[in-house]
Amino acid sequence: MPERQRAALIVSSPSGLRRRVPVEKTPFTIGRQGSNDLVIRDNRVSRQHARIVREPSGYFIEDIESRHGLFINEQRVSRQPLRSSDIISFGFTDSYQVKFTLEEGELGRLLDHIPASPEVLVSGTQNLAKLRAVVEVARAVQTSLSTAEVLEAVVDAALTITGSERGFLLLRENGELSVKVGRQLNGAPLRKEDLKVPAGLIQRALRERKDLLSMSFDPQAAGGLTPDASVANLELRSAVCVPLVRVQGAQLQETMSASVNDTVGLIYLDSRSDVADLSSGNRELLQSLALEASIILENARLLEQERSRQKLEEELTIARAIQQALLPKQLPSAGWLRVAGASIPSRQVGGDYFDVIQTGRDVWAIVVADVSGKGVSSALLAGLLQGAFLRAAGSAEQIREMLTRMNLFLLERTAGEKYATLFYSILAADGSLRWANAAHCQPIILRAGGEPETLESTGMPVGLLEIAQYEVRTSSLAPGDKLIVYTDGLTDARSEDGQVFGVKRLMSMLKRLRCAGCEELHQAIVEELEEFTGEAEQADDVTLLVVEYRPQ
C-alpha cells in the first residue's frame, strides 16, 4: 500500500449530518461504547461492534461478534478487505452509515471538490492559484471547527476564481438577506456596511434568474439594477450572484435542480473595473463552491440541532437523577415486612412512581402509580402524585377520600388529558391488607401454599372523569405470602422479534419461584425481562415491587 495513502471514515447520521474521522491507528474500533475510536450513538449497535486493522496488503474490517452483524455494501461479512468508497452499515436502514475512503494526500482531497472539466485542469499561474484556493476550502472543511472560517475560505476562493474585487456571503433571516461574510480580493475583511448595495435589489435579481447570475449596475442610482446592463458611470460595478440552495439531504441532483425559492442565501461578488471571469470552467467551480457552502450551512444547522438535542439530553439526565433520588433510598429488608423494587424509565425520565411509607409502628403504605404518556410531562405529574402520598391514608374511608380528592385535583388541572392508574394499599403487622385499585394492572398475591390471586380494579383512573368512585377492599396475607405490584411496561415489554412478555409468562415465573425471597424473586424477574427484550427499544417504563410478609 502506498505510504501516502491515508484512510478516513465519512460518518453520516440518520438526520443527514456528516463528519470525517481519520483512521490514525489500528486496530480502530467501532461501537456504541464510549471507549471506541468511532462511537455510534445507536442503542441497536453493539458496544464493541467492529474493528479496522491494517495489514501489508491493505485495510481489513472485522465483526467483533456483534448482535446484528456487520455489512459492507449491504452484504453481511465477518472479515473483509476494505476498498475506497465501501459503505459500512450495522444491519439497520435507519441507522448510521460509514463510508471508507483512501486519500492520496492533498490531491485526493482536492479532487473531491473540483469538477472534472478540462478547462479547469490547465497549466499556468492563474489556474494554479484557483486550484490552491479550492484546496484551502477543502482543508478548511476537514480541519476547521468554525463554520465562519470555512465560509470565509469559500468567499476567498470565489474571489480568486473570478478575479472580483469584493465578495460577500449573505444568508436569509426572517425572509431578508443578511451579510455574514465580507472579504476583499487581498484577504482583508469587510464589514456588512461596506456592501452598499440594497439587499432588496439583490433579492429581486435573484428572483428573476435561477442559476448563476451576472449583472452590471450603478449602486448610486435608485433601483438601478439591471441584468447585463451597460451604464456609463464611474461607480458602475460588474457583479455576480451565485445562489446557495437548500440541500435536499443526500440527493445532490435534487439540490442542483432546486429553484431560487429554495435558496438559503447567496455569494455576491463585484468589481468596479474588470468584468468577472465566467468562463465555463470558472462557472463550474463557482457552482461547486456554492454547493459546498450549502452543505456546510446545512451541516452547521444539523450540528446546532444535535447540540441542542445533547443539551436537552443532559438536562433530562439531571432530571432523571433527581427523579430516581425521590424514590425510596432504602426499602424494608428485615422484620415482618421485606420489600424489593425498582423503576426503569424507557426514556431519560418516566411516568412511573412507587413508594413504601411507614405510617405507624406496625403499619406500612404501599403505592405504585403509572401516569399516562411518556417523557417530561408524565414525570412531572408522577412527582406531583408522590407529594400527594407523603401523608398516607390509613382507614378505608381515608383511602376513598384521598383518591377522590386526587382525581378532582388532576382533572381540574389537566382537563382529562393526563391521568394515572394506581394501586394503593395499607399492610399491617397482622397481615391485614386494605387496598384500592384505580384501573391499575392487577397486583398478584403469591400464596406460599396455594394458587396466586389477582386484585382486580375497584375504580377508574385518577384524573379521567369527575364521577369516578373508589372502592376499598380487604385481603389478608399469610406468613411467606408475597404481593407483586407492577406497571404494564413489564407485561407489555417486547422482544427483538416483536413478541410480548405477557402476564402468562410472569405467572409461570411466580409459580416456579414461589419459595424464593423477595430480593431473589425481584432479581429473577428483572433478569428474565432483560434476556427477553435483548437490545429492543421499549415503549414504556417498567416498575416492579415485590412485598414479602414474614411475621416473626
Side-chain angles (χ1 to χ4, degrees):
M1 181 189 300
E3 285 298 324
R4 62 178 181 173
Q5 282 193 338
R6 295 190 301 173
L9 302 175
I10 308 301
V11 185
S12 300
S13 72
S15 62
L17 183 65
R18 294 187 305 164
R19 60 190 174 101
R20 176 183 177 276
V21 180
V23 180
E24 296 178 336
K25 67 176 185 67
T26 61
F28 182 95
T29 58
I30 303 172
R32 192 175 77 242
Q33 191 167 295
S35 60
N36 288 288
D37 299 301
L38 173 60
V39 180
I40 302 295
R41 301 294 185 186
D42 188 324
N43 287 335
R44 298 169 296 181
V45 173
S46 296
R47 292 181 179 85
Q48 295 280 343
H49 201 105
R51 62 172 167 256
I52 296 175
V53 297
R54 186 175 184 180
E55 299 180 358
S57 58
Y59 286 92
F60 287 76
I61 190 165
E62 301 171 347
D63 187 356
I64 314 179
E65 298 181 356
S66 63
R67 178 178 291 271
H68 296 293
L70 176 69
F71 293 78
I72 303 297
N73 303 324
E74 300 183 352
Q75 298 295 319
R76 185 163 184 168
V77 301
S78 57
R79 173 181 163 88
Q80 180 166 308
L82 284 170
R83 297 170 298 178
S84 191
S85 298
D86 276 349
I87 301 298
I88 305 167
S89 56
F90 308 97
F92 306 98
T93 57
D94 59 343
S95 183
Y96 287 74
Q97 284 196 340
V98 178
K99 180 180 179 181
F100 177 79
T101 64
L102 285 173
E103 300 170 343
E104 298 282 351
E106 291 291 343
L107 181 60
R109 291 194 290 271
L110 173 63
L111 293 178
D112 289 337
H113 296 270
I114 301 180
S117 169
E119 296 186 40
V120 178
L121 302 177
V122 295
S123 61
T125 303
Q126 184 179 16
N127 288 287
L128 287 176
K130 295 175 184 178
L131 295 179
R132 190 178 300 112
V134 178
V135 169
E136 287 302 321
V137 175
R139 182 181 292 114
V141 168
Q142 294 182 4
T143 62
S144 178
L145 297 177
S146 168
T147 301
E149 288 182 7
V150 181
L151 295 179
E152 287 175 359
V154 169
V155 175
D156 287 341
L159 290 170
T160 301
I161 290 166
T162 61
S164 299
E165 295 175 357
R166 309 187 309 162
F168 297 87
L169 189 143
L170 299 88
L171 299 180
R172 291 189 187 276
E173 292 182 350
N174 300 320
E176 299 294 327
L177 288 172
S178 175
V179 176
K180 295 301 178 184
V181 175
R183 306 283 285 179
Q184 296 185 49
L185 181 58
N186 62 8
L190 290 171
R191 301 169 303 168
K192 62 174 66 177
E193 296 82 10
D194 294 329
L195 178 59
K196 295 181 180 178
V197 177
L201 296 181
I202 299 176
Q203 286 180 315
R204 194 182 76 192
L206 196 58
R207 286 196 302 269
E208 293 172 0
R209 296 283 293 273
K210 283 189 175 182
D211 50 8
L212 184 145
L213 170 63
S214 176
M215 58 190 175
S216 298
F217 66 96
D218 177 6
Q220 303 299 323
L225 181 64
T226 53
D228 303 317
S230 177
V231 182
N233 189 295
L234 292 177
E235 293 297 322
L236 187 69
R237 287 185 180 272
S238 173
V240 174
C241 290
V242 188
L244 305 178
V245 298
R246 189 176 303 281
V247 176
Q248 306 280 334
Q251 302 299 320
L252 295 185
Q253 192 62 37
E254 295 179 16
T255 297
M256 294 299 290
S257 62
S259 71
V260 291
N261 294 328
D262 296 322
T263 57
V264 295
L266 77 156
I267 299 172
Y268 169 86
L269 311 164
D270 72 12
S271 298
R272 286 176 295 181
S273 53
D274 296 335
V275 176
D277 182 1
L278 294 180
S279 60
S280 176
N282 288 348
R283 291 175 70 92
E284 289 184 22
L285 276 174
L286 277 178
Q287 289 168 338
S288 295
L289 282 174
L291 180 58
E292 187 64 42
S294 299
I295 293 172
I296 292 165
L297 290 168
E298 177 64 9
N299 278 345
R301 184 188 70 81
L302 293 172
L303 182 59
E304 183 60 33
Q305 189 178 72
E306 180 70 12
R307 284 172 176 166
S308 298
R309 185 189 66 79
Q310 289 178 354
K311 183 178 180 181
L312 177 60
E313 284 187 352
E314 290 171 1
E315 292 174 351
L316 289 175
T317 299
I318 295 172
R320 177 180 180 178
I322 294 172
Q323 187 180 41
Q324 291 293 314
L326 292 175
L327 295 175
K329 291 183 174 60
Q330 289 185 334
L331 295 171
S333 59
W336 64 269
L337 178 67
R338 305 185 183 192
V339 183
S343 185
I344 307 168
S346 61
R347 302 182 181 181
Q348 287 92 336
V349 290
D352 283 5
Y353 157 72
F354 77 91
D355 211 343
V356 180
I357 307 168
Q358 187 169 13
T359 62
R361 181 178 179 182
D362 292 320
V363 180
W364 289 79
I366 300 158
V367 59
V368 174
D370 184 1
V371 178
S372 62
K374 309 290 184 300
V376 176
S377 61
S378 297
L380 289 173
L381 191 52
L384 178 64
L385 291 176
Q386 184 176 24
F389 286 118
L390 287 177
R391 186 176 181 181
S395 68
E397 184 60 31
Q398 288 175 333
I399 294 173
R400 276 193 294 269
E401 289 179 358
M402 179 185 64
L403 295 180
T404 300
R405 286 197 307 269
M406 189 178 301
N407 177 63
L408 295 176
F409 179 81
L410 293 181
L411 186 61
E412 178 182 334
R413 281 156 177 76
T414 67
E417 294 183 1
K418 279 287 184 181
Y419 56 89
T421 67
L422 64 89
F423 175 80
Y424 184 89
S425 63
I426 295 291
L427 179 62
D430 61 3
S432 61
L433 181 72
R434 290 189 296 275
W435 56 273
N437 185 351
H440 195 74
C441 300
Q442 295 183 2
I444 302 166
I445 296 179
L446 184 61
R447 299 293 184 185
E451 288 298 310
E453 299 176 14
T454 56
L455 305 182
E456 63 187 15
S457 175
T458 63
M460 301 177 66
V462 293
L464 188 60
L465 291 175
E466 186 176 357
I467 61 173
Q469 296 182 353
Y470 303 95
E471 179 185 356
V472 180
R473 296 184 183 177
T474 302
S475 300
S476 62
L477 300 183
D481 287 353
K482 301 176 188 68
L483 173 67
I484 291 86
V485 192
Y486 59 93
T487 59
D488 57 5
L490 172 64
T491 50
D492 291 348
R494 292 185 177 272
S495 64
E496 293 176 346
D497 58 1
Q499 295 185 45
V500 178
F501 191 80
V503 176
K504 184 177 179 181
R505 184 188 301 269
L506 176 61
M507 278 291 194
S508 177
M509 283 195 67
L510 295 177
K511 291 178 182 179
R512 189 172 71 249
L513 299 171
R514 69 171 70 246
C515 296
C518 64
E519 286 281 359
E520 183 183 350
L521 179 57
H522 181 274
Q523 184 65 25
I525 296 173
V526 170
E527 289 178 355
E528 176 76 11
L529 179 67
E530 290 178 346
E531 183 177 350
F532 177 81
T533 57
E535 296 193 23
E537 186 175 353
Q538 299 304 307
D540 204 356
D541 312 322
V542 175
T543 295
L544 172 65
L545 206 61
V546 179
V547 180
E548 183 179 6
Y549 178 59
R550 290 179 60 178
Q552 300 299 319

